[in-house]
Amino acid sequence: MDSLCVLDEGSSHQRETFATETESVFKVREFSAAAHQAIEWLANMLSRDEVEGVRLQRPVDLMARARSLMTKADLGGFDARRFADILELYLETGIKVNSRGYMGRQFSSVMPVTAVFEMVSAMAPQPASYYEAGQLANIADRLIEEVFGRFIGWPQGSFEMVTTSGASLANMTAALVARNRRISGSWNGGLAVGCASRPAIAIGEDAHFSVSRIAGIIGIGQDQVIRLPLNKQRQICPERARAIIDGAMVQGLNVFCLIASAGTTAIGANDPLPELAALAKRHGAWLHVDAAHNGAFLVSDQLRPRLAGLELADSFCLDAHKTLFVPALCTLLFYREKGLAETAFPQKDSYVFDPFEDEMAAVQSGVKNFECTKRPSILNLWLAWSLYGRRAFADKLEQLVKITRSAYDYFIDQPDFIVPYQPESNILCFVHQPPGLSGNSLSSLQLELRNRVRAAGRYLLSKVDLNGQTMLRIVLMNDRVGLSDIAGMAAEIRRHAGDILENESTKGGQDLPVGLEPEE
Ligand SMILES: *Cc1c(COP(=O)(O)O)cnc(C)c1O
Protein backbone atom coordinates (compact mmCIF):
# COMPACT_ATOMS: atom_id res chain seq x y z
CA MET A 1 0.00 0.00 0.00
CA ASP A 2 1.21 3.51 -0.72
CA SER A 3 1.69 6.18 1.88
CA LEU A 4 -1.46 7.92 3.02
CA CYS A 5 -1.98 11.59 3.35
CA VAL A 6 -4.28 12.30 6.27
CA LEU A 7 -5.88 15.67 6.60
CA ASP A 8 -6.63 16.67 10.16
CA GLU A 9 -9.85 18.62 9.69
CA GLY A 10 -10.22 19.60 13.33
CA SER A 11 -7.21 21.84 13.25
CA SER A 12 -6.36 24.92 11.33
CA HIS A 13 -3.04 23.35 10.39
CA GLN A 14 -2.81 20.81 7.70
CA ARG A 15 -1.03 17.80 9.21
CA GLU A 16 0.50 15.16 7.04
CA THR A 17 1.45 11.72 8.27
CA PHE A 18 2.85 8.92 6.22
CA ALA A 19 1.44 5.67 7.42
CA THR A 20 2.33 2.34 5.89
CA GLU A 21 1.23 -1.18 6.52
CA THR A 22 4.36 -1.83 8.55
CA GLU A 23 3.10 0.67 11.08
CA SER A 24 0.97 -1.98 12.71
CA VAL A 25 4.16 -3.91 13.52
CA PHE A 26 5.05 -1.16 15.96
CA LYS A 27 1.60 -0.93 17.57
CA VAL A 28 0.91 -1.02 21.27
CA ARG A 29 -1.79 -3.69 21.04
CA GLU A 30 0.69 -6.27 19.84
CA PHE A 31 3.22 -5.19 22.40
CA SER A 32 0.83 -5.91 25.25
CA ALA A 33 -0.16 -9.29 23.84
CA ALA A 34 3.45 -10.35 23.32
CA ALA A 35 4.59 -9.01 26.70
CA HIS A 36 1.88 -10.84 28.62
CA GLN A 37 2.69 -14.04 26.84
CA ALA A 38 6.41 -13.69 27.50
CA ILE A 39 5.91 -12.87 31.17
CA GLU A 40 3.82 -15.97 31.63
CA TRP A 41 6.51 -18.15 30.04
CA LEU A 42 9.25 -16.57 32.12
CA ALA A 43 7.30 -16.82 35.37
CA ASN A 44 6.83 -20.51 34.63
CA MET A 45 10.51 -20.89 33.95
CA LEU A 46 11.42 -19.22 37.25
CA SER A 47 9.11 -21.44 39.27
CA ARG A 48 10.27 -24.72 37.72
CA ASP A 49 12.24 -26.99 40.00
CA GLU A 50 13.65 -29.45 37.49
CA VAL A 51 17.32 -30.36 37.62
CA GLU A 52 18.33 -29.65 34.04
CA GLY A 53 21.47 -28.76 32.13
CA VAL A 54 21.17 -28.04 28.44
CA ARG A 55 19.32 -29.86 25.67
CA LEU A 56 21.76 -29.96 22.80
CA GLN A 57 20.29 -30.41 19.34
CA ARG A 58 22.16 -31.10 16.17
CA PRO A 59 22.68 -27.84 14.24
CA VAL A 60 20.94 -29.18 11.10
CA ASP A 61 17.87 -30.15 13.10
CA LEU A 62 17.70 -26.84 14.91
CA MET A 63 18.19 -24.98 11.65
CA ALA A 64 15.23 -26.83 10.16
CA ARG A 65 13.00 -26.13 13.17
CA ALA A 66 13.97 -22.47 13.23
CA ARG A 67 13.47 -22.14 9.48
CA SER A 68 9.99 -23.63 9.72
CA LEU A 69 9.03 -20.81 12.10
CA MET A 70 9.85 -18.04 9.62
CA THR A 71 6.84 -16.49 7.90
CA LYS A 72 6.55 -17.11 4.18
CA ALA A 73 4.72 -13.82 3.67
CA ASP A 74 6.56 -10.72 2.60
CA LEU A 75 4.90 -8.85 5.43
CA GLY A 76 3.47 -11.04 8.19
CA GLY A 77 1.17 -9.98 11.00
CA PHE A 78 1.48 -10.73 14.70
CA ASP A 79 0.74 -14.41 15.03
CA ALA A 80 0.47 -15.29 18.72
CA ARG A 81 0.97 -18.95 17.95
CA ARG A 82 4.17 -18.37 16.00
CA PHE A 83 5.40 -16.05 18.73
CA ALA A 84 4.77 -18.74 21.35
CA ASP A 85 6.57 -21.33 19.23
CA ILE A 86 9.59 -19.08 18.90
CA LEU A 87 9.62 -18.36 22.66
CA GLU A 88 9.40 -22.06 23.34
CA LEU A 89 12.26 -22.87 20.99
CA TYR A 90 14.39 -20.15 22.58
CA LEU A 91 13.83 -21.34 26.13
CA GLU A 92 14.22 -24.97 25.15
CA THR A 93 17.59 -24.46 23.48
CA GLY A 94 19.05 -22.23 26.21
CA ILE A 95 21.21 -23.00 29.20
CA LYS A 96 19.01 -23.36 32.29
CA VAL A 97 20.65 -20.77 34.50
CA ASN A 98 17.91 -21.06 37.13
CA SER A 99 18.22 -24.81 37.48
CA ARG A 100 20.20 -26.62 40.16
CA GLY A 101 21.76 -28.70 37.40
CA TYR A 102 23.39 -25.64 35.84
CA MET A 103 26.99 -25.71 37.10
CA GLY A 104 29.20 -25.32 34.10
CA ARG A 105 29.51 -21.68 33.16
CA GLN A 106 30.00 -18.16 34.46
CA PHE A 107 26.77 -16.86 32.90
CA SER A 108 24.48 -15.81 35.68
CA SER A 109 20.79 -15.89 36.37
CA VAL A 110 19.61 -12.32 36.85
CA MET A 111 17.58 -10.49 39.46
CA PRO A 112 14.21 -10.62 37.67
CA VAL A 113 13.47 -6.91 38.09
CA THR A 114 16.64 -6.08 36.14
CA ALA A 115 15.37 -8.16 33.23
CA VAL A 116 12.13 -6.19 33.29
CA PHE A 117 14.13 -3.00 33.18
CA GLU A 118 16.19 -4.42 30.33
CA MET A 119 12.98 -4.51 28.31
CA VAL A 120 12.08 -0.98 29.33
CA SER A 121 15.47 0.33 28.28
CA ALA A 122 15.24 -1.49 24.95
CA MET A 123 11.85 0.05 24.25
CA ALA A 124 12.68 3.53 25.54
CA PRO A 125 16.40 3.68 24.79
CA GLN A 126 19.00 5.87 26.42
CA PRO A 127 22.06 5.30 24.24
CA ALA A 128 24.65 5.73 26.94
CA SER A 129 27.51 7.41 25.10
CA TYR A 130 25.89 10.85 24.89
CA TYR A 131 24.48 12.88 27.73
CA GLU A 132 21.80 14.34 25.49
CA ALA A 133 20.53 10.86 24.60
CA GLY A 134 21.27 8.97 27.80
CA GLN A 135 20.99 11.37 30.71
CA LEU A 136 20.14 8.92 33.47
CA ALA A 137 22.55 6.32 32.09
CA ASN A 138 25.46 8.74 32.42
CA ILE A 139 24.38 9.83 35.88
CA ALA A 140 24.05 6.17 36.98
CA ASP A 141 27.68 5.66 35.93
CA ARG A 142 28.71 8.39 38.37
CA LEU A 143 26.59 7.00 41.21
CA ILE A 144 27.86 3.43 40.84
CA GLU A 145 31.41 4.83 40.57
CA GLU A 146 30.88 6.55 43.92
CA VAL A 147 29.55 3.37 45.58
CA PHE A 148 32.44 1.21 44.42
CA GLY A 149 35.04 3.88 45.16
CA ARG A 150 34.14 3.52 48.82
CA PHE A 151 34.68 -0.25 48.71
CA ILE A 152 38.04 0.12 46.96
CA GLY A 153 39.09 2.83 49.38
CA TRP A 154 39.91 5.41 46.74
CA PRO A 155 39.16 9.05 47.69
CA GLN A 156 36.05 10.39 45.95
CA GLY A 157 36.93 12.56 42.99
CA SER A 158 40.39 11.05 42.56
CA PHE A 159 39.49 8.09 40.34
CA GLU A 160 37.23 7.27 37.45
CA MET A 161 34.92 4.52 36.13
CA VAL A 162 33.49 3.76 32.71
CA THR A 163 31.16 0.95 31.74
CA THR A 164 31.86 -1.29 28.78
CA SER A 165 30.05 -4.13 27.10
CA GLY A 166 32.10 -6.96 28.53
CA ALA A 167 35.43 -7.50 30.23
CA SER A 168 37.07 -8.38 26.92
CA LEU A 169 36.49 -4.81 25.78
CA ALA A 170 37.40 -3.40 29.20
CA ASN A 171 40.73 -5.25 29.22
CA MET A 172 41.54 -3.95 25.75
CA THR A 173 40.52 -0.38 26.62
CA ALA A 174 42.71 -0.36 29.73
CA ALA A 175 45.64 -1.75 27.75
CA LEU A 176 45.19 1.07 25.22
CA VAL A 177 45.39 3.64 27.98
CA ALA A 178 48.55 1.92 29.22
CA ARG A 179 50.02 1.96 25.71
CA ASN A 180 49.11 5.60 25.03
CA ARG A 181 50.58 6.68 28.37
CA ARG A 182 53.73 4.58 28.40
CA ILE A 183 54.63 4.77 24.70
CA SER A 184 54.06 8.41 24.01
CA GLY A 185 53.04 9.38 20.51
CA SER A 186 51.86 5.85 19.68
CA TRP A 187 48.23 6.84 19.05
CA ASN A 188 49.22 9.12 16.16
CA GLY A 189 52.59 7.81 15.12
CA GLY A 190 52.16 4.10 15.73
CA LEU A 191 54.48 1.94 17.79
CA ALA A 192 57.58 2.71 15.74
CA VAL A 193 57.54 6.24 17.09
CA GLY A 194 59.69 6.84 20.12
CA CYS A 195 60.41 3.16 20.81
CA ALA A 196 64.05 2.38 21.42
CA SER A 197 63.01 -1.07 22.62
CA ARG A 198 60.15 -3.36 21.59
CA PRO A 199 57.01 -2.86 23.72
CA ALA A 200 55.81 -6.00 25.51
CA ILE A 201 52.94 -7.06 27.77
CA ALA A 202 53.34 -9.52 30.65
CA ILE A 203 50.40 -11.76 31.59
CA GLY A 204 49.87 -14.85 33.74
CA GLU A 205 49.80 -18.35 32.27
CA ASP A 206 46.11 -18.58 33.16
CA ALA A 207 45.12 -15.16 31.78
CA HIS A 208 41.77 -15.11 29.97
CA PHE A 209 41.98 -15.40 26.19
CA SER A 210 40.70 -11.82 25.78
CA VAL A 211 43.89 -10.73 27.55
CA SER A 212 46.22 -12.78 25.39
CA ARG A 213 44.57 -11.30 22.28
CA ILE A 214 45.26 -7.72 23.30
CA ALA A 215 48.85 -7.66 22.04
CA GLY A 216 47.65 -8.59 18.58
CA ILE A 217 44.85 -6.03 18.61
CA ILE A 218 46.75 -2.99 19.81
CA GLY A 219 49.81 -3.56 17.67
CA ILE A 220 52.21 -5.02 20.24
CA GLY A 221 52.32 -8.43 18.54
CA GLN A 222 51.87 -11.88 20.03
CA ASP A 223 55.63 -12.46 20.04
CA GLN A 224 55.89 -9.68 22.60
CA VAL A 225 53.56 -11.35 25.11
CA ILE A 226 55.49 -12.59 28.12
CA ARG A 227 53.80 -15.43 30.00
CA LEU A 228 54.46 -15.35 33.71
CA PRO A 229 54.76 -18.68 35.54
CA LEU A 230 52.33 -19.76 38.25
CA ASN A 231 52.78 -21.28 41.69
CA LYS A 232 50.96 -24.39 42.96
CA GLN A 233 47.75 -22.42 43.55
CA ARG A 234 47.93 -21.22 39.93
CA GLN A 235 48.67 -17.61 40.93
CA ILE A 236 51.41 -15.60 39.22
CA CYS A 237 54.59 -16.24 41.20
CA PRO A 238 56.10 -12.77 41.85
CA GLU A 239 59.73 -13.90 42.36
CA ARG A 240 59.86 -15.87 39.15
CA ALA A 241 57.92 -13.15 37.32
CA ARG A 242 60.53 -10.63 38.40
CA ALA A 243 63.37 -12.72 36.99
CA ILE A 244 61.53 -13.21 33.72
CA ILE A 245 60.71 -9.53 33.27
CA ASP A 246 64.30 -8.56 34.14
CA GLY A 247 65.49 -11.05 31.52
CA ALA A 248 63.10 -9.63 28.91
CA MET A 249 64.35 -6.10 29.57
CA VAL A 250 67.94 -7.25 29.03
CA GLN A 251 66.85 -8.68 25.69
CA GLY A 252 65.56 -5.33 24.52
CA LEU A 253 61.88 -5.64 25.46
CA ASN A 254 60.04 -2.83 27.22
CA VAL A 255 57.43 -4.43 29.48
CA PHE A 256 55.11 -1.43 29.73
CA CYS A 257 52.05 -3.30 30.99
CA LEU A 258 51.46 -6.15 33.40
CA ILE A 259 48.03 -7.77 33.50
CA ALA A 260 47.10 -9.79 36.58
CA SER A 261 43.89 -11.66 37.39
CA ALA A 262 41.50 -11.60 40.31
CA GLY A 263 39.51 -14.73 39.57
CA THR A 264 41.09 -16.71 36.75
CA THR A 265 38.59 -18.34 34.43
CA ALA A 266 40.12 -21.76 34.99
CA ILE A 267 39.97 -22.01 38.79
CA GLY A 268 39.04 -18.54 40.13
CA ALA A 269 42.53 -17.84 41.53
CA ASN A 270 43.52 -14.37 42.71
CA ASP A 271 47.04 -13.26 41.83
CA PRO A 272 49.13 -11.74 44.68
CA LEU A 273 48.33 -8.11 43.89
CA PRO A 274 50.54 -6.22 46.39
CA GLU A 275 53.65 -8.05 45.14
CA LEU A 276 52.67 -7.58 41.51
CA ALA A 277 51.98 -3.88 42.08
CA ALA A 278 55.51 -3.53 43.50
CA LEU A 279 56.91 -5.42 40.51
CA ALA A 280 55.06 -3.20 38.04
CA LYS A 281 56.25 -0.10 39.84
CA ARG A 282 59.85 -1.29 39.75
CA HIS A 283 59.66 -1.53 35.95
CA GLY A 284 57.55 1.55 35.40
CA ALA A 285 54.84 -0.71 34.00
CA TRP A 286 51.09 -0.17 34.14
CA LEU A 287 49.24 -2.70 36.31
CA HIS A 288 45.83 -3.76 35.05
CA VAL A 289 43.85 -6.37 36.97
CA ASP A 290 41.32 -8.48 35.12
CA ALA A 291 38.90 -8.89 38.01
CA ALA A 292 36.02 -9.81 35.72
CA HIS A 293 35.05 -12.73 37.90
CA ASN A 294 36.11 -11.95 41.48
CA GLY A 295 35.94 -8.14 41.36
CA ALA A 296 32.41 -8.33 42.75
CA PHE A 297 33.94 -9.48 46.07
CA LEU A 298 34.27 -5.73 46.68
CA VAL A 299 30.63 -5.55 47.77
CA SER A 300 31.07 -8.17 50.51
CA ASP A 301 32.73 -7.36 53.85
CA GLN A 302 33.57 -11.04 54.17
CA LEU A 303 35.10 -11.52 50.72
CA ARG A 304 36.65 -8.08 50.09
CA PRO A 305 39.91 -8.94 51.96
CA ARG A 306 40.60 -11.53 49.23
CA LEU A 307 41.14 -8.62 46.84
CA ALA A 308 43.85 -6.98 48.95
CA GLY A 309 46.09 -4.89 46.71
CA LEU A 310 43.42 -4.21 44.10
CA GLU A 311 43.55 -0.56 45.20
CA LEU A 312 47.17 -0.43 43.97
CA ALA A 313 46.22 -1.27 40.38
CA ASP A 314 46.31 1.46 37.73
CA SER A 315 43.12 -0.02 36.33
CA PHE A 316 40.85 -3.03 36.85
CA CYS A 317 37.52 -4.29 35.58
CA LEU A 318 34.68 -6.40 36.95
CA ASP A 319 31.77 -8.10 35.23
CA ALA A 320 28.48 -7.19 36.88
CA HIS A 321 26.75 -9.58 34.48
CA LYS A 322 28.57 -12.48 36.07
CA THR A 323 28.84 -12.08 39.82
CA LEU A 324 26.47 -9.15 40.40
CA PHE A 325 23.52 -10.90 38.71
CA VAL A 326 22.39 -8.32 36.16
CA PRO A 327 21.73 -8.93 32.45
CA ALA A 328 24.74 -9.15 30.13
CA LEU A 329 26.69 -7.18 29.23
CA CYS A 330 27.61 -4.84 32.09
CA THR A 331 31.26 -4.32 32.94
CA LEU A 332 32.76 -1.68 35.20
CA LEU A 333 36.25 -0.45 34.30
CA PHE A 334 38.07 1.58 36.95
CA TYR A 335 41.09 3.86 36.64
CA ARG A 336 42.93 4.85 39.80
CA GLU A 337 43.62 8.34 38.44
CA LYS A 338 40.88 10.66 37.25
CA GLY A 339 41.31 11.93 33.70
CA LEU A 340 42.89 8.76 32.36
CA ALA A 341 39.76 7.26 30.83
CA GLU A 342 39.68 9.75 27.99
CA THR A 343 43.26 8.97 26.99
CA ALA A 344 42.17 5.60 25.57
CA PHE A 345 40.74 7.16 22.41
CA PRO A 346 42.24 10.65 22.17
CA GLN A 347 40.16 11.83 19.27
CA LYS A 348 37.17 14.14 19.10
CA ASP A 349 34.83 14.35 16.14
CA SER A 350 32.63 17.35 15.64
CA TYR A 351 29.31 15.59 15.14
CA VAL A 352 29.61 14.06 18.56
CA PHE A 353 31.64 16.38 20.67
CA ASP A 354 31.18 20.13 21.14
CA PRO A 355 34.26 22.32 21.11
CA PHE A 356 33.59 23.56 24.63
CA GLU A 357 33.30 21.28 27.60
CA ASP A 358 30.19 22.12 29.56
CA GLU A 359 28.69 20.47 32.62
CA MET A 360 26.88 17.96 30.42
CA ALA A 361 29.89 17.04 28.33
CA ALA A 362 31.79 16.50 31.58
CA VAL A 363 29.64 13.53 32.57
CA GLN A 364 29.15 11.87 29.19
CA SER A 365 31.01 8.67 28.51
CA GLY A 366 31.35 8.61 24.71
CA VAL A 367 34.87 9.99 24.53
CA LYS A 368 36.08 7.31 26.96
CA ASN A 369 34.54 4.36 25.22
CA PHE A 370 35.07 2.23 22.15
CA GLU A 371 31.36 1.88 21.57
CA CYS A 372 29.28 4.54 19.88
CA THR A 373 25.69 3.37 20.28
CA LYS A 374 25.78 1.72 23.67
CA ARG A 375 23.25 -0.14 25.80
CA PRO A 376 22.67 1.65 29.12
CA SER A 377 23.23 -1.60 30.99
CA ILE A 378 24.59 0.24 34.01
CA LEU A 379 20.98 1.19 34.73
CA ASN A 380 20.14 -2.43 35.57
CA LEU A 381 22.83 -2.43 38.23
CA TRP A 382 21.87 1.00 39.52
CA LEU A 383 18.20 0.00 39.65
CA ALA A 384 18.87 -3.19 41.63
CA TRP A 385 21.27 -1.36 43.94
CA SER A 386 18.68 1.40 44.47
CA LEU A 387 15.93 -1.09 45.25
CA TYR A 388 17.72 -3.73 47.27
CA GLY A 389 21.01 -2.29 48.51
CA ARG A 390 24.40 -3.91 48.96
CA ARG A 391 23.38 -6.97 50.96
CA ALA A 392 21.28 -8.46 48.16
CA PHE A 393 24.44 -8.84 46.11
CA ALA A 394 26.80 -9.72 48.94
CA ASP A 395 24.56 -12.42 50.45
CA LYS A 396 24.20 -14.34 47.21
CA LEU A 397 27.88 -14.07 46.38
CA GLU A 398 28.90 -15.25 49.84
CA GLN A 399 26.48 -18.16 49.57
CA LEU A 400 27.96 -19.20 46.19
CA VAL A 401 31.48 -19.14 47.60
CA LYS A 402 30.32 -21.10 50.65
CA ILE A 403 28.62 -23.88 48.66
CA THR A 404 31.69 -24.16 46.45
CA ARG A 405 33.82 -24.65 49.53
CA SER A 406 31.39 -27.32 50.77
CA ALA A 407 31.61 -29.04 47.39
CA TYR A 408 35.41 -29.03 47.75
CA ASP A 409 35.14 -30.59 51.22
CA TYR A 410 32.69 -33.15 49.85
CA PHE A 411 35.05 -34.24 47.05
CA ILE A 412 38.04 -34.38 49.42
CA ASP A 413 36.19 -37.18 51.21
CA GLN A 414 35.57 -39.18 48.02
CA PRO A 415 38.47 -41.58 47.33
CA ASP A 416 37.74 -41.67 43.57
CA PHE A 417 37.85 -37.90 43.10
CA ILE A 418 40.87 -35.58 43.11
CA VAL A 419 40.41 -31.89 43.92
CA PRO A 420 43.75 -30.20 43.26
CA TYR A 421 42.91 -26.59 44.16
CA GLN A 422 41.12 -25.18 47.16
CA PRO A 423 38.56 -22.76 45.69
CA GLU A 424 39.01 -19.03 46.21
CA SER A 425 35.72 -18.27 44.55
CA ASN A 426 32.74 -20.19 43.12
CA ILE A 427 34.79 -22.20 40.62
CA LEU A 428 35.96 -25.74 41.41
CA CYS A 429 38.00 -28.19 39.33
CA PHE A 430 38.15 -31.91 39.97
CA VAL A 431 39.09 -35.19 38.35
CA HIS A 432 37.21 -38.47 38.61
CA GLN A 433 39.82 -41.19 38.93
CA PRO A 434 38.61 -44.79 38.86
CA PRO A 435 41.30 -47.20 40.10
CA GLY A 436 44.13 -47.94 37.68
CA LEU A 437 43.58 -44.99 35.34
CA SER A 438 46.16 -42.24 34.77
CA GLY A 439 47.80 -40.01 32.15
CA ASN A 440 46.11 -39.62 28.77
CA SER A 441 43.37 -42.13 29.46
CA LEU A 442 42.45 -40.24 32.61
CA SER A 443 42.26 -37.00 30.62
CA SER A 444 40.20 -38.59 27.86
CA LEU A 445 37.83 -40.01 30.43
CA GLN A 446 37.13 -36.53 31.87
CA LEU A 447 36.27 -35.16 28.46
CA GLU A 448 34.00 -38.08 27.69
CA LEU A 449 32.36 -37.68 31.11
CA ARG A 450 31.69 -34.01 30.44
CA ASN A 451 30.13 -34.93 27.09
CA ARG A 452 27.98 -37.74 28.47
CA VAL A 453 26.80 -35.77 31.48
CA ARG A 454 25.90 -32.89 29.17
CA ALA A 455 24.11 -35.16 26.70
CA ALA A 456 22.05 -36.71 29.52
CA GLY A 457 20.70 -33.19 30.11
CA ARG A 458 20.53 -33.07 33.90
CA TYR A 459 23.79 -31.34 34.75
CA LEU A 460 25.94 -28.95 32.81
CA LEU A 461 29.66 -29.10 33.63
CA SER A 462 32.65 -27.69 31.81
CA LYS A 463 36.21 -28.89 31.46
CA VAL A 464 39.62 -27.31 31.54
CA ASP A 465 43.15 -28.50 30.74
CA LEU A 466 45.67 -27.69 33.46
CA ASN A 467 49.26 -28.95 33.58
CA GLY A 468 48.48 -31.39 30.79
CA GLN A 469 45.55 -32.92 32.69
CA THR A 470 41.94 -32.50 31.59
CA MET A 471 39.73 -31.72 34.56
CA LEU A 472 36.04 -31.28 35.12
CA ARG A 473 35.06 -27.82 36.25
CA ILE A 474 31.98 -26.41 37.93
CA VAL A 475 31.02 -22.77 38.37
CA LEU A 476 28.25 -22.39 40.93
CA MET A 477 26.18 -19.39 39.88
CA ASN A 478 22.92 -20.56 41.41
CA ASP A 479 22.63 -20.22 45.18
CA ARG A 480 19.88 -22.86 45.31
CA VAL A 481 22.42 -25.55 44.51
CA GLY A 482 22.99 -27.67 47.60
CA LEU A 483 25.25 -30.53 48.61
CA SER A 484 22.62 -33.04 47.49
CA ASP A 485 22.93 -31.64 43.96
CA ILE A 486 26.70 -32.00 44.12
CA ALA A 487 26.31 -35.56 45.34
CA GLY A 488 23.76 -36.26 42.59
CA MET A 489 26.16 -34.94 39.98
CA ALA A 490 29.03 -37.04 41.40
CA ALA A 491 26.82 -40.15 41.32
CA GLU A 492 25.97 -39.48 37.68
CA ILE A 493 29.67 -39.09 36.86
CA ARG A 494 30.46 -42.42 38.51
CA ARG A 495 27.66 -44.13 36.62
CA HIS A 496 28.87 -42.83 33.24
CA ALA A 497 32.46 -43.71 34.09
CA GLY A 498 31.34 -47.26 34.90
CA ASP A 499 29.57 -47.52 31.51
CA ILE A 500 32.53 -46.08 29.62
CA LEU A 501 35.09 -48.36 31.23
CA GLU A 502 32.94 -51.43 30.82
CA ASN A 503 32.42 -50.62 27.16
CA GLU A 504 36.16 -50.01 26.78
CA SER A 505 37.10 -53.37 28.19
CA THR A 506 34.65 -55.20 25.92
CA LYS A 507 35.90 -53.25 22.86
CA GLY A 508 39.54 -53.85 23.74
CA GLY A 509 40.48 -50.38 24.93
CA GLN A 510 40.06 -48.05 21.97
CA ASP A 511 41.13 -44.49 22.56
CA LEU A 512 38.39 -42.28 23.86
CA PRO A 513 37.32 -39.48 21.53
CA VAL A 514 38.95 -36.11 22.00
CA GLY A 515 37.14 -32.82 21.35
CA LEU A 516 37.68 -29.12 21.67
CA GLU A 517 35.54 -26.47 23.22
CA PRO A 518 35.89 -22.71 23.46
CA GLU A 519 36.81 -21.02 26.69
CA GLU A 520 34.37 -18.74 28.45
C1 LIG B 1 34.40 -13.70 31.61
C2 LIG B 1 35.80 -13.21 31.70
C3 LIG B 1 36.33 -12.37 30.71
C4 LIG B 1 35.55 -11.98 29.49
O1 LIG B 1 34.56 -11.12 29.85
P1 LIG B 1 33.29 -10.81 28.91
O2 LIG B 1 32.49 -9.95 29.81
O3 LIG B 1 32.68 -12.12 28.59
O4 LIG B 1 33.81 -10.09 27.70
C5 LIG B 1 37.62 -11.90 30.89
N1 LIG B 1 38.36 -12.27 31.95
C6 LIG B 1 37.88 -13.08 32.91
C7 LIG B 1 38.75 -13.45 34.06
C8 LIG B 1 36.58 -13.58 32.82
O5 LIG B 1 36.11 -14.39 33.77
Side-chain angles (χ1 to χ4, degrees), residues 144-354:
I144 291 293
E145 170 185 270
E146 219 173 272
V147 167
F148 277 78
R150 278 197 289 278
F151 298 140
I152 308 162
W154 286 343
Q156 296 298 341
S158 71
F159 68 98
E160 199 168 4
M161 185 208 85
V162 298
T163 55
T164 69
S165 297
S168 306
L169 192 51
N171 288 333
M172 189 202 77
T173 306
L176 258 182
V177 170
R179 193 201 72 178
N180 294 345
R181 302 286 294 177
R182 294 293 195 269
I183 306 163
S184 57
S186 57
W187 177 265
N188 287 318
L191 288 178
V193 168
C195 272
S197 47
R198 271 177 300 147
I201 297 180
I203 67 178
E205 284 287 353
D206 273 358
H208 186 263
F209 75 95
S210 67
V211 171
S212 58
R213 279 178 178 175
I214 288 172
I217 298 171
I218 70 171
I220 306 301
Q222 284 297 317
D223 292 347
Q224 279 67 244
V225 175
I226 296 166
R227 291 272 182 171
L228 303 175
L230 309 178
N231 64 18
K232 283 207 170 66
Q233 286 77 46
R234 301 201 75 81
Q235 305 159 311
I236 295 176
C237 174
E239 294 76 31
R240 288 163 68 203
R242 176 174 167 168
I244 283 182
I245 294 178
D246 283 345
M249 296 291 208
V250 170
Q251 298 197 348
L253 290 173
N254 165 23
V255 182
F256 72 96
C257 181
L258 194 163
I259 303 182
S261 306
T264 53
T265 311
I267 73 161
N270 289 332
D271 286 329
L273 300 178
E275 288 82 355
L276 293 177
L279 182 63
K281 195 166 176 194
R282 181 168 182 267
H283 289 95
W286 181 280
L287 176 65
H288 173 70
V289 180
D290 177 1
H293 193 83
N294 284 358
F297 285 4
L298 281 172
V299 307
S300 154
D301 295 338
Q302 181 195 319
L303 299 171
R304 196 177 309 121
R306 300 186 187 194
L307 297 176
L310 188 63
E311 72 284 358
L312 302 170
D314 293 293
S315 56
F316 74 90
C317 65
L318 71 89
D319 267 348
H321 58 267
K322 287 177 181 159
T323 33
L324 291 176
F325 324 113
V326 298
L329 294 155
C330 179
T331 302
L332 314 183
L333 168 59
F334 292 88
Y335 298 94
R336 182 157 46 87
E337 208 181 296
K338 194 174 173 67
L340 286 183
E342 63 186 57
T343 66
F345 310 101
Q347 190 174 16
K348 298 192 174 185
D349 287 296
S350 59
Y351 53 87
V352 178
F353 305 107
D354 294 333

Side-chain angles (χ1 to χ4, degrees), residues 335-503:
Y335 298 94
R336 182 157 46 87
E337 208 181 296
K338 194 174 173 67
L340 286 183
E342 63 186 57
T343 66
F345 310 101
Q347 190 174 16
K348 298 192 174 185
D349 287 296
S350 59
Y351 53 87
V352 178
F353 305 107
D354 294 333
F356 303 107
E357 286 270 301
D358 60 12
E359 56 173 0
M360 297 183 192
V363 294
Q364 91 179 349
S365 67
V367 67
K368 303 164 186 175
N369 240 297
F370 183 70
E371 294 156 285
C372 178
T373 307
K374 181 165 166 255
R375 291 280 296 145
S377 54
I378 188 68
L379 285 171
N380 294 323
L381 182 60
W382 178 72
L383 169 86
W385 199 275
S386 304
L387 286 173
Y388 304 128
R390 182 187 66 84
R391 280 279 303 284
F393 300 87
D395 286 357
K396 173 156 171 167
L397 199 49
E398 288 164 13
Q399 178 66 9
L400 293 176
V401 170
K402 192 171 137 202
I403 325 163
T404 311
R405 179 57 204 245
S406 315
Y408 172 78
D409 294 339
Y410 170 85
F411 280 122
I412 287 275
D413 289 339
Q414 312 298 313
D416 53 346
F417 282 89
I418 308 168
V419 261
Y421 311 108
Q422 191 174 306
E424 185 70 16
S425 178
N426 57 339
I427 303 178
L428 182 69
C429 294
F430 55 90
V431 173
H432 175 52
Q433 185 173 35
L437 220 54
S438 62
N440 284 346
S441 357
L442 188 60
S443 276
S444 306
L445 176 68
Q446 309 310 306
L447 183 59
E448 183 60 13
L449 284 172
R450 193 286 309 264
N451 292 346
R452 291 203 185 195
V453 169
R454 184 176 64 186
R458 267 174 70 76
Y459 301 98
L460 183 66
L461 316 176
S462 49
K463 66 100 187 162
V464 63
D465 297 333
L466 298 172
N467 293 336
Q469 167 70 57
T470 302
M471 300 183 185
L472 296 169
R473 167 178 175 267
I474 54 176
V475 186
L476 299 182
M477 296 300 295
N478 181 348
D479 57 341
R480 286 165 57 231
V481 170
L483 261 190
S484 61
D485 299 305
I486 301 292
M489 183 258 297
E492 184 160 323
I493 288 174
R494 281 195 185 100
R495 193 160 49 73
H496 287 300
D499 291 349
I500 294 166
L501 295 174
E502 193 184 342
N503 198 23

